[in-house]
Amino acid sequence: MLRLLFVLTATAIGAPATFADWSRHVVATGFASQTAVAADFTGDGLPDVIADAQGETHLYVAPDWKKVVIDGKWPFRPGERDTIHSEVLDVDADGDPDYIGAVYSPGPVFWLERPDDPLSDRWIMRIVDADVNGTHGLITGDIDRDGRLDLAGNSAQPKDPYPNSLVWWRVPEDPRSAEEWPRYVLADQDAPGLSHYLGIGDLDGDEVADVVSAGKDAVTGGGNWFAWWKQPADGSTPWLKRTIAVNQVGATNALPADLNGDGVMDIFATRGHGRGVLWFEGPTFEAHEIDPVLAGPHDLAIGDVDGDGDTDAVTCGKDSYVVAWYENDGAGVFRKRVIHDDQAAYDIRLVDMDMDGDLDVLVAGQNSRNVVWYENGL
């Protein structure tokens, strides 16, 4: 029986707004952005932003956010090039960050090589995988324990050749000449319901990386769940599915971390196509509701927002138009703190945008048609 900890007693619903602690900075407006990432793409020591811009990929150069179009619609027809999610990774191991993007359906997953002059030279696009269909979430992590970052994502459409599946890719030794990256199907047709985002972490303490995900769409069959897949010790595929919770309407996000300081991995989660923010306490993954009313928390990032040594979380209700962070007391009791009450999102990141040593919040606003970041003043 699940014990539901409603945080009204300790925290969340109706918590006071804390706008004064966060300054809002607009990076771009006028288009519905589905994903944005930040890194020092220009080599000047300041984090820049790359954002999806409805068929184009834009680099916004800090600190003034000058726009540079680094990838147009080629080789796709207009309207087919929308990037739904993205990651940053030094793919070619040359010391600077490259950009990885996913076009939802029919794909592909691609990467853009950061050129010597990122403001004037062409960012060359290369394919990671053209056969996955429905990649909605990308995440990096060392899956095979070789000391190098790998990439994981989903093939969430119920269509061949990898229907209702989760995959991971190893970066090729020579990614510039590779036709596609080595693909490993970790969840072989057992992730139905249009899976959304993924998390990577050692869920069972065996020192092997596992993967967490969520399926949001019961209409297509089998959605409304949170689950994790246990990686075999020998790294073989497919992995073993472990269901965490069902009847989770609109489940989208699940990220692993030790949230209560007991040395056991927990999972912070959101129902981004429904309502609610919650966490699951390991090792049995007992559910604790934090904020059951936030509508459309489609995005999620975790990190130490207030610098007190524990893991907090941040999300934005794409339907509620509320950006909020959830303050962890270190024991897994969370207090909702409102950052802004007139901003939608599709994607959110925690990153030190102003290089002052704390985590700021970067938001790609789909319905609000903007990209903004909130300066952490805690």
Side-chain angles (χ1 to χ4, degrees), residues 34-35 52 55-57 71-77 79-86 99-111 125 127-138 154-157 169:
Q34 298 184 118
T35 185
D52 159 68
E56 293 182 339
T57 307
D71 185 44
K73 297 180 175 65
W74 180 91
F76 304 93
R77 294 189 299 273
E80 292 185 346
R81 192 63 172 83
D82 292 356
T83 302
I84 200 165
H85 203 234
S86 57
Y99 176 82
I100 304 177
V103 178
Y104 180 63
S105 182
V109 177
F110 64 96
W111 70 284
M125 189 196 80
I127 298 298
V128 172
D129 196 324
D131 290 330
V132 294
N133 191 331
T135 302
H136 195 292
L138 296 171
N154 39 12
S155 188
Q157 283 287 309
W169 299 274

Side-chain angles (χ1 to χ4, degrees), residues 7-145:
V7 199
L8 277 172
T9 59
T11 59
I13 314 311
T18 53
F19 297 169
D21 294 328
W22 299 86
S23 301
R24 188 172 189 262
H25 304 269
V26 177
V27 176
T29 61
F31 58 92
S33 185
Q34 298 184 118
T35 185
V37 294
D40 181 11
F41 292 106
T42 56
D44 62 358
L46 297 175
D48 312 293
V49 172
I50 293 182
D52 159 68
Q54 294 184 294
E56 293 182 339
T57 307
H58 294 174
L59 168 65
Y60 294 94
V61 181
D64 300 324
W65 310 119
K66 175 185 176 182
K67 182 181 79 174
V68 178
V69 179
I70 61 172
D71 185 44
K73 297 180 175 65
W74 180 91
F76 304 93
R77 294 189 299 273
E80 292 185 346
R81 192 63 172 83
D82 292 356
T83 302
I84 200 165
H85 203 234
S86 57
E87 265 292 353
V88 177
L89 180 64
D90 184 3
V91 173
D92 48 9
D94 64 353
D96 54 49
D98 304 302
Y99 176 82
I100 304 177
V103 178
Y104 180 63
S105 182
V109 177
F110 64 96
W111 70 284
L112 299 176
E113 180 185 354
R114 189 257 197 204
D116 291 337
D117 188 339
L119 302 183
S120 61
D121 294 345
R122 178 186 173 195
W123 291 59
I124 298 175
M125 189 196 80
R126 297 183 174 89
I127 298 298
V128 172
D129 196 324
D131 290 330
V132 294
N133 191 331
T135 302
H136 195 292
L138 296 171
I139 191 169
T140 61
D142 185 3
I143 292 176
D144 54 5
R145 294 177 291 171

Side-chain angles (χ1 to χ4, degrees), residues 19-366:
F19 297 169
D21 294 328
W22 299 86
S23 301
R24 188 172 189 262
H25 304 269
V26 177
V27 176
T29 61
F31 58 92
S33 185
Q34 298 184 118
T35 185
V37 294
D40 181 11
F41 292 106
T42 56
D44 62 358
L46 297 175
D48 312 293
V49 172
I50 293 182
D52 159 68
Q54 294 184 294
E56 293 182 339
T57 307
H58 294 174
L59 168 65
Y60 294 94
V61 181
D64 300 324
W65 310 119
K66 175 185 176 182
K67 182 181 79 174
V68 178
V69 179
I70 61 172
D71 185 44
K73 297 180 175 65
W74 180 91
F76 304 93
R77 294 189 299 273
E80 292 185 346
R81 192 63 172 83
D82 292 356
T83 302
I84 200 165
H85 203 234
S86 57
E87 265 292 353
V88 177
L89 180 64
D90 184 3
V91 173
D92 48 9
D94 64 353
D96 54 49
D98 304 302
Y99 176 82
I100 304 177
V103 178
Y104 180 63
S105 182
V109 177
F110 64 96
W111 70 284
L112 299 176
E113 180 185 354
R114 189 257 197 204
D116 291 337
D117 188 339
L119 302 183
S120 61
D121 294 345
R122 178 186 173 195
W123 291 59
I124 298 175
M125 189 196 80
R126 297 183 174 89
I127 298 298
V128 172
D129 196 324
D131 290 330
V132 294
N133 191 331
T135 302
H136 195 292
L138 296 171
I139 191 169
T140 61
D142 185 3
I143 292 176
D144 54 5
R145 294 177 291 171
D146 66 353
R148 298 184 301 174
L149 291 177
D150 307 297
L151 181 70
N154 39 12
S155 188
Q157 283 287 309
K159 300 175 182 178
D160 291 336
Y162 307 105
N164 299 322
S165 298
L166 307 177
V167 303
W168 73 274
W169 299 274
R170 180 181 286 114
V171 180
E173 290 297 327
D174 185 1
R176 294 189 182 96
S177 62
E179 185 172 334
E180 292 192 15
W181 295 14
R183 177 201 315 110
Y184 305 88
V185 181
L186 69 94
D188 188 1
Q189 303 183 50
D190 61 357
L194 303 183
S195 64
H196 253 46
Y197 297 103
L198 295 83
I200 297 175
D202 179 8
L203 271 294
D204 54 1
D206 63 355
E207 300 184 353
V208 176
D210 308 302
V211 165
V212 194
S213 192
K216 63 98 176 177
D217 190 1
V219 175
T220 62
N224 297 335
W225 50 261
F226 293 104
W228 67 282
W229 280 260
K230 175 180 172 58
Q231 180 179 182
D234 62 3
S236 60
T237 56
W239 300 2
L240 180 63
K241 181 180 181 179
R242 308 283 196 188
T243 299
I244 297 168
V246 296
N247 300 321
Q248 302 290 313
V249 176
T252 50
N253 302 74
L255 292 175
D258 180 5
L259 299 173
N260 58 359
D262 65 353
V264 177
M265 196 70 80
D266 311 298
I267 296 170
F268 201 100
T270 63
R271 306 182 190 99
H273 278 271
R275 290 179 180 269
V277 176
L278 69 161
W279 72 282
F280 297 97
E281 183 177 356
T284 60
F285 299 113
E286 182 178 12
H288 302 272
E289 291 284 347
I290 298 172
D291 182 357
V293 301
L294 187 69
H298 190 270
D299 45 12
L300 176 65
I302 59 175
D304 187 3
V305 174
D306 52 3
D308 64 354
D310 53 42
T311 300
D312 310 299
V314 62
T315 187
C316 177
K318 68 179 180 65
D319 305 315
S320 291
Y321 273 63
V322 171
V323 186
W325 73 282
Y326 295 86
E327 180 184 2
N328 188 354
D329 72 350
V333 177
F334 291 87
R335 180 179 296 273
K336 181 180 182 179
R337 305 290 195 183
V338 176
I339 295 173
H340 197 258
D341 65 354
D342 189 21
Q343 172 66 42
Y346 208 76
D347 189 14
I348 203 165
R349 311 289 171 133
L350 281 169
V351 61
D352 187 359
M353 295 292 294
D354 51 6
M355 302 298 289
D356 65 350
D358 57 27
L359 292 174
D360 307 301
V361 178
L362 175 66
V363 177
Q366 185 190 51

